[in-house]
Amino acid sequence: MDKKLKVDPIREGTVIDHIPANKALQVLSIIKAAQDDVVTVGINFASHKFGRKDIVKIEGRELSQKDINSIALIAPDATVIIIRDFQVINKYPVQIPDTLNGLARCANPRCITNHEEMMTRFRVQQKNPVRLRCHYCERVFDGDELELVTA
Ligand SMILES: [Zn+2]
């Protein structure tokens, strides 16, 4: 068991650690917990690395790669911890791929992707803090400036 986890151990599920302080609720909106998901949110925990951090814990669910890519936009330093049978079976930093397709809406109201039925496409220019360039209108945005496509 990882003693550094301040949250209670869970049997099965995902812990997202090292979320910047006060961003946990944004992470939650990405995860979109189902009605019967048990989710624990820790806000403003002390962290050696960041001073303060948030933690989100979802029981009984392992996040999809798409969820993790979305979380990376808001929390590029986050760590994903997969737990099975109370054991940490996988622990890795979130990673933003070089291109993001269909993950977020372009924040430029004049962008063609906001007027046609088409998938958005962003190229990641910088990973931390995240900067993305729209493939179509070429505008550059911060990771948390974009509205994520959820569903
Ligand atoms: Zn655009």
Side-chain angles (χ1 to χ4, degrees), residues 24-47:
L25 296 182
Q26 270 176 275
V27 170
L28 269 188
S29 71
I30 292 170
I31 295 165
K32 285 242 238 141
Q35 253 178 355
D36 53 354
D37 280 348
V38 178
V39 178
T40 311
V41 179
I43 291 180
N44 274 329
F45 282 153
S47 156

mmCIF file with all atom_site columns, all heavy atoms in Angstrom, residues 24-47:
data_model
loop_
_atom_site.group_PDB
_atom_site.id
_atom_site.type_symbol
_atom_site.label_atom_id
_atom_site.label_alt_id
_atom_site.label_comp_id
_atom_site.label_asym_id
_atom_site.label_entity_id
_atom_site.label_seq_id
_atom_site.pdbx_PDB_ins_code
_atom_site.Cartn_x
_atom_site.Cartn_y
_atom_site.Cartn_z
_atom_site.occupancy
_atom_site.B_iso_or_equiv
_atom_site.pdbx_formal_charge
_atom_site.auth_seq_id
_atom_site.auth_comp_id
_atom_site.auth_asym_id
_atom_site.auth_atom_id
_atom_site.pdbx_PDB_model_num
ATOM 1   N N   . ALA A 1 24 ? -9.718  20.231 -8.573  1.00 0.00 ? 24 ALA A N   1
ATOM 2   C CA  . ALA A 1 24 ? -10.357 18.911 -8.464  1.00 0.00 ? 24 ALA A CA  1
ATOM 3   C C   . ALA A 1 24 ? -11.761 18.909 -9.059  1.00 0.00 ? 24 ALA A C   1
ATOM 4   O O   . ALA A 1 24 ? -12.172 17.931 -9.671  1.00 0.00 ? 24 ALA A O   1
ATOM 5   C CB  . ALA A 1 24 ? -10.407 18.461 -7.005  1.00 0.00 ? 24 ALA A CB  1
ATOM 6   N N   . LEU A 1 25 ? -12.484 20.012 -8.897  1.00 0.00 ? 25 LEU A N   1
ATOM 7   C CA  . LEU A 1 25 ? -13.863 20.013 -9.391  1.00 0.00 ? 25 LEU A CA  1
ATOM 8   C C   . LEU A 1 25 ? -13.896 20.010 -10.914 1.00 0.00 ? 25 LEU A C   1
ATOM 9   O O   . LEU A 1 25 ? -14.778 19.414 -11.533 1.00 0.00 ? 25 LEU A O   1
ATOM 10  C CB  . LEU A 1 25 ? -14.644 21.190 -8.811  1.00 0.00 ? 25 LEU A CB  1
ATOM 11  C CG  . LEU A 1 25 ? -14.797 21.107 -7.278  1.00 0.00 ? 25 LEU A CG  1
ATOM 12  C CD1 . LEU A 1 25 ? -15.609 22.273 -6.744  1.00 0.00 ? 25 LEU A CD1 1
ATOM 13  C CD2 . LEU A 1 25 ? -15.425 19.787 -6.850  1.00 0.00 ? 25 LEU A CD2 1
ATOM 14  N N   . GLN A 1 26 ? -12.902 20.645 -11.533 1.00 0.00 ? 26 GLN A N   1
ATOM 15  C CA  . GLN A 1 26 ? -12.800 20.571 -12.997 1.00 0.00 ? 26 GLN A CA  1
ATOM 16  C C   . GLN A 1 26 ? -12.490 19.141 -13.440 1.00 0.00 ? 26 GLN A C   1
ATOM 17  O O   . GLN A 1 26 ? -13.013 18.671 -14.439 1.00 0.00 ? 26 GLN A O   1
ATOM 18  C CB  . GLN A 1 26 ? -11.694 21.505 -13.489 1.00 0.00 ? 26 GLN A CB  1
ATOM 19  C CG  . GLN A 1 26 ? -12.179 22.905 -13.791 1.00 0.00 ? 26 GLN A CG  1
ATOM 20  C CD  . GLN A 1 26 ? -11.017 23.805 -14.170 1.00 0.00 ? 26 GLN A CD  1
ATOM 21  O OE1 . GLN A 1 26 ? -10.358 24.356 -13.301 1.00 0.00 ? 26 GLN A OE1 1
ATOM 22  N NE2 . GLN A 1 26 ? -10.755 23.910 -15.462 1.00 0.00 ? 26 GLN A NE2 1
ATOM 23  N N   . VAL A 1 27 ? -11.620 18.494 -12.689 1.00 0.00 ? 27 VAL A N   1
ATOM 24  C CA  . VAL A 1 27 ? -11.314 17.098 -13.013 1.00 0.00 ? 27 VAL A CA  1
ATOM 25  C C   . VAL A 1 27 ? -12.574 16.249 -12.874 1.00 0.00 ? 27 VAL A C   1
ATOM 26  O O   . VAL A 1 27 ? -12.875 15.407 -13.717 1.00 0.00 ? 27 VAL A O   1
ATOM 27  C CB  . VAL A 1 27 ? -10.178 16.562 -12.112 1.00 0.00 ? 27 VAL A CB  1
ATOM 28  C CG1 . VAL A 1 27 ? -10.018 15.058 -12.248 1.00 0.00 ? 27 VAL A CG1 1
ATOM 29  C CG2 . VAL A 1 27 ? -8.862  17.272 -12.453 1.00 0.00 ? 27 VAL A CG2 1
ATOM 30  N N   . LEU A 1 28 ? -13.343 16.514 -11.830 1.00 0.00 ? 28 LEU A N   1
ATOM 31  C CA  . LEU A 1 28 ? -14.594 15.776 -11.630 1.00 0.00 ? 28 LEU A CA  1
ATOM 32  C C   . LEU A 1 28 ? -15.544 15.939 -12.804 1.00 0.00 ? 28 LEU A C   1
ATOM 33  O O   . LEU A 1 28 ? -16.211 15.000 -13.210 1.00 0.00 ? 28 LEU A O   1
ATOM 34  C CB  . LEU A 1 28 ? -15.304 16.271 -10.373 1.00 0.00 ? 28 LEU A CB  1
ATOM 35  C CG  . LEU A 1 28 ? -14.999 15.571 -9.067  1.00 0.00 ? 28 LEU A CG  1
ATOM 36  C CD1 . LEU A 1 28 ? -15.947 16.080 -8.004  1.00 0.00 ? 28 LEU A CD1 1
ATOM 37  C CD2 . LEU A 1 28 ? -15.133 14.070 -9.224  1.00 0.00 ? 28 LEU A CD2 1
ATOM 38  N N   . SER A 1 29 ? -15.601 17.138 -13.344 1.00 0.00 ? 29 SER A N   1
ATOM 39  C CA  . SER A 1 29 ? -16.536 17.356 -14.443 1.00 0.00 ? 29 SER A CA  1
ATOM 40  C C   . SER A 1 29 ? -16.089 16.583 -15.686 1.00 0.00 ? 29 SER A C   1
ATOM 41  O O   . SER A 1 29 ? -16.904 16.228 -16.524 1.00 0.00 ? 29 SER A O   1
ATOM 42  C CB  . SER A 1 29 ? -16.690 18.845 -14.740 1.00 0.00 ? 29 SER A CB  1
ATOM 43  O OG  . SER A 1 29 ? -15.518 19.344 -15.333 1.00 0.00 ? 29 SER A OG  1
ATOM 44  N N   . ILE A 1 30 ? -14.816 16.295 -15.799 1.00 0.00 ? 30 ILE A N   1
ATOM 45  C CA  . ILE A 1 30 ? -14.330 15.462 -16.903 1.00 0.00 ? 30 ILE A CA  1
ATOM 46  C C   . ILE A 1 30 ? -14.736 14.014 -16.676 1.00 0.00 ? 30 ILE A C   1
ATOM 47  O O   . ILE A 1 30 ? -15.202 13.331 -17.580 1.00 0.00 ? 30 ILE A O   1
ATOM 48  C CB  . ILE A 1 30 ? -12.793 15.531 -17.000 1.00 0.00 ? 30 ILE A CB  1
ATOM 49  C CG1 . ILE A 1 30 ? -12.359 16.917 -17.441 1.00 0.00 ? 30 ILE A CG1 1
ATOM 50  C CG2 . ILE A 1 30 ? -12.261 14.453 -17.939 1.00 0.00 ? 30 ILE A CG2 1
ATOM 51  C CD1 . ILE A 1 30 ? -10.878 17.139 -17.331 1.00 0.00 ? 30 ILE A CD1 1
ATOM 52  N N   . ILE A 1 31 ? -14.556 13.570 -15.458 1.00 0.00 ? 31 ILE A N   1
ATOM 53  C CA  . ILE A 1 31 ? -14.817 12.168 -15.152 1.00 0.00 ? 31 ILE A CA  1
ATOM 54  C C   . ILE A 1 31 ? -16.299 11.848 -15.260 1.00 0.00 ? 31 ILE A C   1
ATOM 55  O O   . ILE A 1 31 ? -16.684 10.758 -15.631 1.00 0.00 ? 31 ILE A O   1
ATOM 56  C CB  . ILE A 1 31 ? -14.314 11.847 -13.727 1.00 0.00 ? 31 ILE A CB  1
ATOM 57  C CG1 . ILE A 1 31 ? -12.798 12.000 -13.673 1.00 0.00 ? 31 ILE A CG1 1
ATOM 58  C CG2 . ILE A 1 31 ? -14.713 10.453 -13.326 1.00 0.00 ? 31 ILE A CG2 1
ATOM 59  C CD1 . ILE A 1 31 ? -12.278 12.066 -12.273 1.00 0.00 ? 31 ILE A CD1 1
ATOM 60  N N   . LYS A 1 32 ? -17.141 12.856 -14.975 1.00 0.00 ? 32 LYS A N   1
ATOM 61  C CA  . LYS A 1 32 ? -18.590 12.663 -15.049 1.00 0.00 ? 32 LYS A CA  1
ATOM 62  C C   . LYS A 1 32 ? -19.008 11.387 -14.362 1.00 0.00 ? 32 LYS A C   1
ATOM 63  O O   . LYS A 1 32 ? -19.404 10.404 -14.976 1.00 0.00 ? 32 LYS A O   1
ATOM 64  C CB  . LYS A 1 32 ? -19.037 12.591 -16.523 1.00 0.00 ? 32 LYS A CB  1
ATOM 65  C CG  . LYS A 1 32 ? -19.042 13.933 -17.197 1.00 0.00 ? 32 LYS A CG  1
ATOM 66  C CD  . LYS A 1 32 ? -20.457 14.280 -17.630 1.00 0.00 ? 32 LYS A CD  1
ATOM 67  C CE  . LYS A 1 32 ? -20.567 14.517 -19.079 1.00 0.00 ? 32 LYS A CE  1
ATOM 68  N NZ  . LYS A 1 32 ? -21.548 14.168 -19.909 1.00 0.00 ? 32 LYS A NZ  1
ATOM 69  N N   . ALA A 1 33 ? -18.927 11.405 -13.064 1.00 0.00 ? 33 ALA A N   1
ATOM 70  C CA  . ALA A 1 33 ? -19.252 10.223 -12.276 1.00 0.00 ? 33 ALA A CA  1
ATOM 71  C C   . ALA A 1 33 ? -20.667 9.733  -12.581 1.00 0.00 ? 33 ALA A C   1
ATOM 72  O O   . ALA A 1 33 ? -21.586 10.529 -12.711 1.00 0.00 ? 33 ALA A O   1
ATOM 73  C CB  . ALA A 1 33 ? -19.120 10.556 -10.793 1.00 0.00 ? 33 ALA A CB  1
ATOM 74  N N   . ALA A 1 34 ? -20.796 8.434  -12.730 1.00 0.00 ? 34 ALA A N   1
ATOM 75  C CA  . ALA A 1 34 ? -22.134 7.843  -12.857 1.00 0.00 ? 34 ALA A CA  1
ATOM 76  C C   . ALA A 1 34 ? -22.811 7.923  -11.497 1.00 0.00 ? 34 ALA A C   1
ATOM 77  O O   . ALA A 1 34 ? -22.146 8.127  -10.486 1.00 0.00 ? 34 ALA A O   1
ATOM 78  C CB  . ALA A 1 34 ? -22.022 6.401  -13.323 1.00 0.00 ? 34 ALA A CB  1
ATOM 79  N N   . GLN A 1 35 ? -24.125 7.746  -11.501 1.00 0.00 ? 35 GLN A N   1
ATOM 80  C CA  . GLN A 1 35 ? -24.871 7.977  -10.272 1.00 0.00 ? 35 GLN A CA  1
ATOM 81  C C   . GLN A 1 35 ? -24.431 7.102  -9.111  1.00 0.00 ? 35 GLN A C   1
ATOM 82  O O   . GLN A 1 35 ? -24.487 7.513  -7.959  1.00 0.00 ? 35 GLN A O   1
ATOM 83  C CB  . GLN A 1 35 ? -26.362 7.781  -10.525 1.00 0.00 ? 35 GLN A CB  1
ATOM 84  C CG  . GLN A 1 35 ? -27.055 9.129  -10.540 1.00 0.00 ? 35 GLN A CG  1
ATOM 85  C CD  . GLN A 1 35 ? -28.531 9.013  -10.823 1.00 0.00 ? 35 GLN A CD  1
ATOM 86  O OE1 . GLN A 1 35 ? -29.050 7.939  -11.099 1.00 0.00 ? 35 GLN A OE1 1
ATOM 87  N NE2 . GLN A 1 35 ? -29.203 10.133 -10.755 1.00 0.00 ? 35 GLN A NE2 1
ATOM 88  N N   . ASP A 1 36 ? -24.001 5.902  -9.413  1.00 0.00 ? 36 ASP A N   1
ATOM 89  C CA  . ASP A 1 36 ? -23.630 5.010  -8.313  1.00 0.00 ? 36 ASP A CA  1
ATOM 90  C C   . ASP A 1 36 ? -22.116 4.936  -8.086  1.00 0.00 ? 36 ASP A C   1
ATOM 91  O O   . ASP A 1 36 ? -21.643 4.139  -7.294  1.00 0.00 ? 36 ASP A O   1
ATOM 92  C CB  . ASP A 1 36 ? -24.230 3.618  -8.520  1.00 0.00 ? 36 ASP A CB  1
ATOM 93  C CG  . ASP A 1 36 ? -23.881 3.057  -9.885  1.00 0.00 ? 36 ASP A CG  1
ATOM 94  O OD1 . ASP A 1 36 ? -23.279 3.796  -10.699 1.00 0.00 ? 36 ASP A OD1 1
ATOM 95  O OD2 . ASP A 1 36 ? -24.209 1.887  -10.139 1.00 0.00 ? 36 ASP A OD2 1
ATOM 96  N N   . ASP A 1 37 ? -21.350 5.775  -8.782  1.00 0.00 ? 37 ASP A N   1
ATOM 97  C CA  . ASP A 1 37 ? -19.915 5.823  -8.520  1.00 0.00 ? 37 ASP A CA  1
ATOM 98  C C   . ASP A 1 37 ? -19.654 6.453  -7.151  1.00 0.00 ? 37 ASP A C   1
ATOM 99  O O   . ASP A 1 37 ? -20.278 7.452  -6.796  1.00 0.00 ? 37 ASP A O   1
ATOM 100 C CB  . ASP A 1 37 ? -19.192 6.690  -9.567  1.00 0.00 ? 37 ASP A CB  1
ATOM 101 C CG  . ASP A 1 37 ? -18.947 5.941  -10.866 1.00 0.00 ? 37 ASP A CG  1
ATOM 102 O OD1 . ASP A 1 37 ? -19.125 4.713  -10.877 1.00 0.00 ? 37 ASP A OD1 1
ATOM 103 O OD2 . ASP A 1 37 ? -18.569 6.581  -11.854 1.00 0.00 ? 37 ASP A OD2 1
ATOM 104 N N   . VAL A 1 38 ? -18.728 5.883  -6.409  1.00 0.00 ? 38 VAL A N   1
ATOM 105 C CA  . VAL A 1 38 ? -18.316 6.487  -5.147  1.00 0.00 ? 38 VAL A CA  1
ATOM 106 C C   . VAL A 1 38 ? -17.058 7.302  -5.426  1.00 0.00 ? 38 VAL A C   1
ATOM 107 O O   . VAL A 1 38 ? -16.037 6.768  -5.850  1.00 0.00 ? 38 VAL A O   1
ATOM 108 C CB  . VAL A 1 38 ? -18.032 5.412  -4.079  1.00 0.00 ? 38 VAL A CB  1
ATOM 109 C CG1 . VAL A 1 38 ? -17.544 6.069  -2.787  1.00 0.00 ? 38 VAL A CG1 1
ATOM 110 C CG2 . VAL A 1 38 ? -19.282 4.584  -3.827  1.00 0.00 ? 38 VAL A CG2 1
ATOM 111 N N   . VAL A 1 39 ? -17.156 8.615  -5.242  1.00 0.00 ? 39 VAL A N   1
ATOM 112 C CA  . VAL A 1 39 ? -16.045 9.502  -5.565  1.00 0.00 ? 39 VAL A CA  1
ATOM 113 C C   . VAL A 1 39 ? -15.661 10.278 -4.311  1.00 0.00 ? 39 VAL A C   1
ATOM 114 O O   . VAL A 1 39 ? -16.524 10.802 -3.612  1.00 0.00 ? 39 VAL A O   1
ATOM 115 C CB  . VAL A 1 39 ? -16.444 10.488 -6.685  1.00 0.00 ? 39 VAL A CB  1
ATOM 116 C CG1 . VAL A 1 39 ? -15.309 11.452 -6.980  1.00 0.00 ? 39 VAL A CG1 1
ATOM 117 C CG2 . VAL A 1 39 ? -16.845 9.733  -7.937  1.00 0.00 ? 39 VAL A CG2 1
ATOM 118 N N   . THR A 1 40 ? -14.374 10.321 -4.033  1.00 0.00 ? 40 THR A N   1
ATOM 119 C CA  . THR A 1 40 ? -13.880 11.112 -2.912  1.00 0.00 ? 40 THR A CA  1
ATOM 120 C C   . THR A 1 40 ? -12.988 12.212 -3.454  1.00 0.00 ? 40 THR A C   1
ATOM 121 O O   . THR A 1 40 ? -12.147 11.966 -4.309  1.00 0.00 ? 40 THR A O   1
ATOM 122 C CB  . THR A 1 40 ? -13.041 10.235 -1.949  1.00 0.00 ? 40 THR A CB  1
ATOM 123 O OG1 . THR A 1 40 ? -13.781 9.064  -1.663  1.00 0.00 ? 40 THR A OG1 1
ATOM 124 C CG2 . THR A 1 40 ? -12.733 10.985 -0.665  1.00 0.00 ? 40 THR A CG2 1
ATOM 125 N N   . VAL A 1 41 ? -13.188 13.425 -2.973  1.00 0.00 ? 41 VAL A N   1
ATOM 126 C CA  . VAL A 1 41 ? -12.381 14.556 -3.436  1.00 0.00 ? 41 VAL A CA  1
ATOM 127 C C   . VAL A 1 41 ? -11.633 15.134 -2.243  1.00 0.00 ? 41 VAL A C   1
ATOM 128 O O   . VAL A 1 41 ? -12.225 15.405 -1.202  1.00 0.00 ? 41 VAL A O   1
ATOM 129 C CB  . VAL A 1 41 ? -13.288 15.641 -4.055  1.00 0.00 ? 41 VAL A CB  1
ATOM 130 C CG1 . VAL A 1 41 ? -12.452 16.827 -4.507  1.00 0.00 ? 41 VAL A CG1 1
ATOM 131 C CG2 . VAL A 1 41 ? -14.072 15.070 -5.216  1.00 0.00 ? 41 VAL A CG2 1
ATOM 132 N N   . GLY A 1 42 ? -10.335 15.296 -2.400  1.00 0.00 ? 42 GLY A N   1
ATOM 133 C CA  . GLY A 1 42 ? -9.526  15.941 -1.366  1.00 0.00 ? 42 GLY A CA  1
ATOM 134 C C   . GLY A 1 42 ? -9.002  17.249 -1.915  1.00 0.00 ? 42 GLY A C   1
ATOM 135 O O   . GLY A 1 42 ? -8.414  17.268 -2.992  1.00 0.00 ? 42 GLY A O   1
ATOM 136 N N   . ILE A 1 43 ? -9.228  18.331 -1.201  1.00 0.00 ? 43 ILE A N   1
ATOM 137 C CA  . ILE A 1 43 ? -8.815  19.642 -1.706  1.00 0.00 ? 43 ILE A CA  1
ATOM 138 C C   . ILE A 1 43 ? -7.790  20.253 -0.765  1.00 0.00 ? 43 ILE A C   1
ATOM 139 O O   . ILE A 1 43 ? -7.919  20.161 0.460   1.00 0.00 ? 43 ILE A O   1
ATOM 140 C CB  . ILE A 1 43 ? -10.065 20.545 -1.889  1.00 0.00 ? 43 ILE A CB  1
ATOM 141 C CG1 . ILE A 1 43 ? -10.893 19.981 -3.062  1.00 0.00 ? 43 ILE A CG1 1
ATOM 142 C CG2 . ILE A 1 43 ? -9.662  21.992 -2.173  1.00 0.00 ? 43 ILE A CG2 1
ATOM 143 C CD1 . ILE A 1 43 ? -12.149 20.729 -3.373  1.00 0.00 ? 43 ILE A CD1 1
ATOM 144 N N   . ASN A 1 44 ? -6.747  20.815 -1.367  1.00 0.00 ? 44 ASN A N   1
ATOM 145 C CA  . ASN A 1 44 ? -5.722  21.525 -0.592  1.00 0.00 ? 44 ASN A CA  1
ATOM 146 C C   . ASN A 1 44 ? -4.932  20.653 0.371   1.00 0.00 ? 44 ASN A C   1
ATOM 147 O O   . ASN A 1 44 ? -4.585  21.095 1.461   1.00 0.00 ? 44 ASN A O   1
ATOM 148 C CB  . ASN A 1 44 ? -6.344  22.685 0.184   1.00 0.00 ? 44 ASN A CB  1
ATOM 149 C CG  . ASN A 1 44 ? -6.408  23.934 -0.675  1.00 0.00 ? 44 ASN A CG  1
ATOM 150 O OD1 . ASN A 1 44 ? -5.550  24.134 -1.539  1.00 0.00 ? 44 ASN A OD1 1
ATOM 151 N ND2 . ASN A 1 44 ? -7.386  24.762 -0.440  1.00 0.00 ? 44 ASN A ND2 1
ATOM 152 N N   . PHE A 1 45 ? -4.616  19.432 -0.059  1.00 0.00 ? 45 PHE A N   1
ATOM 153 C CA  . PHE A 1 45 ? -3.692  18.633 0.739   1.00 0.00 ? 45 PHE A CA  1
ATOM 154 C C   . PHE A 1 45 ? -2.293  19.222 0.632   1.00 0.00 ? 45 PHE A C   1
ATOM 155 O O   . PHE A 1 45 ? -1.936  19.822 -0.390  1.00 0.00 ? 45 PHE A O   1
ATOM 156 C CB  . PHE A 1 45 ? -3.640  17.185 0.216   1.00 0.00 ? 45 PHE A CB  1
ATOM 157 C CG  . PHE A 1 45 ? -4.820  16.351 0.637   1.00 0.00 ? 45 PHE A CG  1
ATOM 158 C CD1 . PHE A 1 45 ? -5.221  15.285 -0.147  1.00 0.00 ? 45 PHE A CD1 1
ATOM 159 C CD2 . PHE A 1 45 ? -5.504  16.616 1.803   1.00 0.00 ? 45 PHE A CD2 1
ATOM 160 C CE1 . PHE A 1 45 ? -6.310  14.496 0.228   1.00 0.00 ? 45 PHE A CE1 1
ATOM 161 C CE2 . PHE A 1 45 ? -6.589  15.833 2.183   1.00 0.00 ? 45 PHE A CE2 1
ATOM 162 C CZ  . PHE A 1 45 ? -6.989  14.777 1.401   1.00 0.00 ? 45 PHE A CZ  1
ATOM 163 N N   . ALA A 1 46 ? -1.503  19.040 1.661   1.00 0.00 ? 46 ALA A N   1
ATOM 164 C CA  . ALA A 1 46 ? -0.099  19.468 1.595   1.00 0.00 ? 46 ALA A CA  1
ATOM 165 C C   . ALA A 1 46 ? 0.641   18.566 0.615   1.00 0.00 ? 46 ALA A C   1
ATOM 166 O O   . ALA A 1 46 ? 0.397   17.373 0.545   1.00 0.00 ? 46 ALA A O   1
ATOM 167 C CB  . ALA A 1 46 ? 0.523   19.384 2.979   1.00 0.00 ? 46 ALA A CB  1
ATOM 168 N N   . SER A 1 47 ? 1.526   19.150 -0.172  1.00 0.00 ? 47 SER A N   1
ATOM 169 C CA  . SER A 1 47 ? 2.308   18.380 -1.137  1.00 0.00 ? 47 SER A CA  1
ATOM 170 C C   . SER A 1 47 ? 3.741   18.906 -1.148  1.00 0.00 ? 47 SER A C   1
ATOM 171 O O   . SER A 1 47 ? 3.964   20.108 -1.149  1.00 0.00 ? 47 SER A O   1
ATOM 172 C CB  . SER A 1 47 ? 1.691   18.528 -2.527  1.00 0.00 ? 47 SER A CB  1
ATOM 173 O OG  . SER A 1 47 ? 2.641   18.283 -3.534  1.00 0.00 ? 47 SER A OG  1
#
